[in-house]
Amino acid sequence: MKLASNEFLQASSAALLEEDKAQRRSLIGQFLPLARDAAASAYGDFDALRAHMKRVRRHTMTHLSHYLEQFEEAAVQHGNQVHFVANAEQLNSKVLSICQAHNARRVAKGKSMVTEETGLNELLLKAGLDVLETDLGEYIIQQAGETPSHIVGPALHKSLAEIRQLFLDKHKLGDRELETVSEVVEEARGVLREQFLAADVGIIGANALIAEHGTSMLVTNEGNGDLCANLPPVLIVCTTFERVLPRAEDAMALQRLLVRSATGQPQTCYTSFYTGPRREDDVDGPLETHIILLDNRRSDILASDYSEMLDCIRCGACLNHCPIYIGVGGHAYGWVYPGPMGSVLTPLLTSLEQAHHLPNACTSCGRCAEVCPANIPLPDLLRDLRQDESVQQLKPARWRNGLRLHAWLLRHPGLYRSLTGWTISVLGLLGKRRGAFRRLPFAGGWTGQRDVPAPEGGGTFMRQYAARRRRGGKRG
Amino acid sequence: MAESVRAELFARLREQETAVEPEQIALALAALGHAEPARTPHADVHTAFLANVLANKGTVELARDRGAAVQAIGRYLYQRFRTHKLVAGNDPRLAAMPWRDGGVLPRFGAAENGDSAALSYARLGVAETGAIVTYTGRANPGRNNLLPEDHLVLINREDVVATLEDAWARIRHDTAASGWPRGIQFIAGPSSTADVEAQLVMGAHGPRRWHVILVGDTPAEVLAQASEGVRAPS
């Protein structure tokens, strides 16, 4: 997928002006956190579950070569062909060559963020294949020629009216009206059912790989991934090597975290474990199965200070809880992964140079870390990326010099206090009449949206604090 | 290409890892234990299972024995589709049922597009999540769970386990002799989507309705208790 993260500032400013979409996003930001909280507390000790998963993940990552080898061995034993690929291009050409080896014409695809990352569809379509996304949200944005705005609900930015118009344009509808959500779903069901039945190849992702059994776990509500995995004669699972977990029970712990964090459900409709092609006595299922394990810089991340980011289970909770994501929406981030997780992943999977605005799209409010089921310290990783940004001189010189000056000032508390004290008295005097400032020098970006309240009497916080301590004694 | 990519990846991973004997890794893994299951609405596994099936937007029924199950299926098919037709896998447990008594005409094999109803005999039910578990194979082709309009499921009382961990212990036990199946499917509700306007709609791609029949001697109060506080699916 094309990277446009460098346009984050312009794209987010534009997004803030789209009233209808902004309202839709703010509903997501209200509803999904409530659903997540209710599901987490109904579970029991959700924090203990998060801590357990973290221990399992640390153990797995410490012995990753062992578990990856165990997975590969078991998967091959069950008849899978396992392929390791280093980058997007290799994954795409591997999938294409499998399709071509079977003279495939039609491909049914389940939801896979990994193939969004590699831009697989574009290559397959160019090669003349008829590729349809079968997750309803993915299908809608594929028809619209858009990219996902959310990793769980890719089309949540679109209204029913927009989707209706899209289907009117793309489908031969006759006199069907499509006035309700049910009618829209029914319409897509008809088109996609036909693709499932006729597809030569099914492509799905994986929510986890289980080393013990060489199996991959697929979690969906629609069952579209399951149709992709059961009907076409060839199945390709596209995922990344670090999805591996030791035991089926570990995948269960992950699933408990995932569904509650993503949609607030205690369990999705379908949780399936696929392990190779049809067995000798079977009457259905693919005749050939491939598992493609992508690296795409993940082994670099594993070796870096950002390795915890690989614990991410793609639930989208950090998006739903992020004031920036809810404010500007997923498209502003300019790539596959938006929100806090995307602001860490995008610079690591592409380059900081091309995506250095994203780690700055953070208020350090910490809500993402509070709800992250994988206990990833997202605000810390974002701060570290901002540090890298500064070291690599990607920020404008004015910013860097300003920060340097600020840092120097902070190391001289006496000077800092007298300077801030002086500034506050001056501002207090100047703003006494109106009580607020419309404009301030060097703060145009801030005052462009709101007034700055003028300081009231009493001096700086530190001065008032010291005075209070003197009055109330040491314990004051 | 793939061979060198694989070799390079493993070399990189091993470079960062301290070499430990597999036995040591296994000990460290065992020491981690398993996660706690979710709290269930009822202490009794059958009540909890039925309550969770209902919460998953399924419908439930009790059948004292296989004869009663056939009667229940016959009634369901007639009410929903005015038909007696049904597709079911080649499960010996299904083949031995008194179909004629309930006026049901099963076709044994794989479901096709256009089949209105399919019946599965579940291997397991999980009280923690209200899911039923099937293994792909002749006894239950994977597509039978996915293609029909309605998915009917029989589950024996004794096959309902409390937690997901209990389910995997049973799966390992079941497959020790028969071999690991191509697919293991945990199903918890009709196919659904909330991708348009975040509004929940049943029958996204697969079954629109999911009907679970618990087979065995279950007191009627169990179902009454399970239904309490659970909103009926619309």
Side-chain angles (χ1 to χ4, degrees), chain B residues 136-148:
Chain B
T136 61
R138 279 171 60 78
N140 194 72
R143 59 200 289 156
N144 290 25
N145 297 343
L146 302 165
L147 283 179

Side-chain angles (χ1 to χ4, degrees), chain A residues 24 31 41-45 49 52 55-56 59-69 72 78 82-86 90 93-94 134-138 140 152-156 158-161 163 181-182 184-186 188-189 192-193 196-197 210 212-213 215 221-224 226-227 229-231 241 246-250 252-253 255-256 260 265-279 281-286 293 295 299-300 302-304, chain B residues 1-14 16-40 52 55-56 90 109-115 126 128-131 136-149 151 163-169 171-172 175 179-208 210:
Chain A
R24 197 173 296 287
F31 172 71
S41 53
Y43 163 83
D45 193 345
L49 180 62
H52 170 78
R55 287 193 293 274
V56 170
H59 167 85
T60 313
M61 293 296 192
T62 314
H63 308 289
L64 194 53
S65 66
H66 168 79
Y67 287 117
L68 194 55
E69 205 162 40
E72 186 191 15
H78 286 301
V82 180
H83 315 275
F84 288 85
V85 293
Q90 286 183 12
S93 60
K94 186 78 220 169
T134 62
D135 171 84
L136 182 55
E138 289 277 344
I140 290 166
V152 174
L156 284 178
K158 289 192 111 53
S159 68
L160 174 61
I163 297 167
V181 173
S182 298
V184 164
V185 172
E186 191 61 30
R189 176 187 170 106
L192 291 168
R193 176 61 71 100
F196 287 128
L197 294 166
I210 301 168
E212 182 186 15
H213 303 293
T215 193
N221 277 313
E222 295 184 7
N224 64 308
D226 292 277
L227 284 155
N230 282 280
L231 296 185
F241 69 87
R247 309 164 289 193
E249 286 81 355
D250 302 322
M252 292 294 94
Q255 191 244 16
R256 287 183 180 115
R260 289 174 176 87
Q265 289 170 286
Q267 150 108 40
T268 47
C269 301
Y270 301 96
T271 309
S272 305
F273 300 84
Y274 292 111
T275 322
R278 69 170 75 170
R279 309 294 192 243
D281 285 346
D282 285 2
V283 291
D284 74 342
L293 300 171
D295 184 336
S299 55
D300 294 337
L302 186 65
S304 76
Chain B
M1 174 186 84
E3 209 26 58
S4 69
V5 173
R6 182 192 180 283
E8 256 169 59
L9 175 65
F10 274 97
R12 288 202 69 180
L13 295 180
R14 289 196 176 111
Q16 292 158 42
E17 293 168 8
T18 9
V20 181
E21 290 301 312
E23 296 75 35
Q24 294 293 314
I25 299 178
L27 281 175
L29 177 64
L32 291 173
H34 293 154
E36 285 291 313
R39 282 198 301 242
T40 48
N52 279 332
N56 293 337
N90 277 298
E112 298 299 336
N113 191 39
D115 278 332
V126 188
E128 181 186 346
T129 58
T136 61
R138 279 171 60 78
N140 194 72
R143 59 200 289 156
N144 290 25
N145 297 343
L146 302 165
L147 283 179
E149 296 282 297
H151 187 210
T163 70
L164 289 165
E165 281 73 17
D166 295 341
W168 281 99
I171 291 168
R172 289 198 188 90
T175 55
W180 196 257
R182 174 182 71 81
I184 297 167
Q185 294 165 313
F186 286 62
I187 298 172
S191 157
S192 73
T193 183
D195 273 354
V196 179
E197 299 265 10
Q199 200 173 306
L200 188 67
V201 177
M202 298 299 151
H205 297 287
R208 300 170 198 277
W210 184 60

